Amino acid sequence: MKILVIDDSSVIRDLVKFSLTMKDHEVITAEDGDVGIQAAKKNLPDLILLDILMPRMNGYEACNILKQDRQTKHIPVFILSSKGQMDDLDKAFQAGADNYITKPFDPEKLDATISYKLAKLKS
């Protein structure tokens, strides 16, 4: 599976990339929403993991743009964020997010969560 990780933290990008690559996924990374949107259009990943708190364009804005674009609207977007209040979840789902995973997360469980949630979305 090809996964795009959009997060301004290089530590998170590297951790997610390492753990998902070990599970045989192809991982592409982007450091902000603008770069992430372009990477999504260029690579058409199977899934996007998207942070909320980023400079220039936050994750809500990026998700909304991705879900409005005919090229990328079909790609599931999973928010991966330290913001875990109900209001944050509501904003994410209103922007078009398909799932919400809070940080900190267990890298070992991340792949299982992705596989499970994607299977539910496709059924």
Side-chain angles (χ1 to χ4, degrees), residues 7-119:
D7 198 304
D8 62 319
S9 168
S10 62
V11 172
I12 296 295
R13 287 193 314 269
D14 291 346
L15 174 64
V16 173
K17 183 174 184 171
F18 177 77
S19 64
L20 294 178
T21 301
M22 295 299 291
K23 300 291 185 179
D24 295 324
H25 297 293
E26 177 185 346
V27 180
I28 304 153
T29 61
E31 64 276 3
D32 65 44
D34 289 327
V35 175
I37 290 167
Q38 296 310 311
K41 290 180 180 183
K42 179 181 176 186
N43 297 285
L44 297 175
D46 300 301
L47 172 71
I48 298 170
L49 293 176
L50 176 62
D51 186 25
I52 290 176
L53 297 175
M54 295 184 292
R56 291 189 289 252
M57 179 187 297
N58 68 41
Y60 303 125
E61 295 167 312
C63 185
N64 190 43
I65 290 168
L66 288 163
K67 290 300 187 173
Q68 297 299 316
D69 189 291
R70 69 172 180 78
Q71 253 187 305
T72 57
K73 67 182 178 182
H74 69 282
I75 303 170
V77 175
F78 288 12
I79 300 296
L80 185 61
S81 178
S82 59
K83 295 176 67 71
Q85 300 297 317
M86 190 57 70
D87 184 49
D88 302 315
L89 276 73
D90 288 343
K91 286 180 187 175
F93 290 121
Q94 287 173 5
D98 297 285
N99 195 30
Y100 201 102
I101 302 168
T102 55
K103 297 176 188 173
F105 58 91
D106 179 344
E108 283 297 312
K109 292 181 182 176
L110 183 61
D111 181 60
T113 301
I114 289 169
S115 297
Y116 175 77
K117 293 293 185 177
L118 282 179

